[in-house]
Amino acid sequence: GENVEQHPSTLSVQEGDSAVIKCTYSDSASNYFPWYKQELGKRPQLIIDIRSNVGEKKDQRIAVTLNKTAKHFSLHITETQPEDSAVYFCAASRKGNEKLTFGTGTRLTIIP
Amino acid sequence: SAVISQKPSRDICQRGTSLTIQCQVDSQVTMMFWYRQQPGQSLTLIATANQGSEATYESGFVIDKFPISRPNLTFSTLTVSNMSPEDSSIYLCSVEGGDSYNEQFFGPGTRLTVL
């Protein structure tokens, strides 16, 4: 089955700087890669996703890149703000088998 | 995206008892998923529930321990049976939705503590 690894497990960034979280996956048939943000005591929220037919996707301060050959994808947050502090999870799945396999999570702390 | 609710939001239970968690969606969805999130951990899929068929369980999860019902396209239940303290977790349902396939959205979760 699919295995998703995520790094780093914790990340502290000065407010205004950029944060990068990286994930690798094992199943070459995976073609959908979402990122979820989970604030303390809240449900995971889908913040951005990418499919294997594109290499990069951007939504305001958030971007995701995908390297299918290397089987890794990354989340980039620019101009970080205190409200970006949360746990971020990457995940992978493939069409026809919609179950998500999650990474282990990254606790992001933005330092004011 | 769909509006998803879960009941109860939290519960404290005695070992050996069972708890049934409900997941309600405001629109019809084909696939519903049940996840477990142990304290400080990631999300692990328990099973996939399709209306009109038996749930599909992931490795390490069995129907006797986590029976699931899916009576219609807007509702599902997960029962945690014969509970032990190791079952203390957050249980979340999710549904597919959004503009295209694979997008999943989560319910608010049920925080279960087993004493």
Side-chain angles (χ1 to χ4, degrees), chain A residues 34-87:
Chain A
W35 287 89
Y36 287 84
K37 174 184 180 182
Q38 187 175 33
E39 297 175 88
L40 188 63
K42 301 289 183 63
R43 74 187 80 187
Q45 296 274 12
L46 178 65
I47 57 172
I48 195 167
D49 56 17
I50 192 167
R51 301 183 191 276
S52 59
N53 56 344
V54 298
E56 184 174 359
K57 183 177 178 180
K58 190 173 182 180
D59 183 3
Q60 298 182 351
R61 297 186 296 108
I62 295 174
V64 57
T65 59
L66 171 65
N67 183 326
K68 279 193 66 178
T69 303
K71 290 192 281 190
H72 67 70
F73 56 111
S74 300
L75 177 71
H76 305 253
I77 305 174
T78 59
E79 301 173 15
T80 53
Q81 301 169 4
E83 53 264 37
D84 295 329
S85 293
V87 179

Side-chain angles (χ1 to χ4, degrees), chain A residues 36 38 43 51 93 99 103, chain B residues 37 42 58 100-102 104:
Chain A
Y36 287 84
Q38 187 175 33
R43 74 187 80 187
R51 301 183 191 276
S93 72
K99 63 180 184 180
Chain B
Q37 187 174 30
S42 184
E58 297 300 305
S100 55
Y101 66 86
N102 288 77
Q104 283 189 31

Side-chain angles (χ1 to χ4, degrees), chain B residues 84-95:
Chain B
S84 66
E86 292 71 37
D87 294 320
S88 298
S89 288
I90 299 172
Y91 292 86
L92 301 114
C93 65
S94 74
V95 304

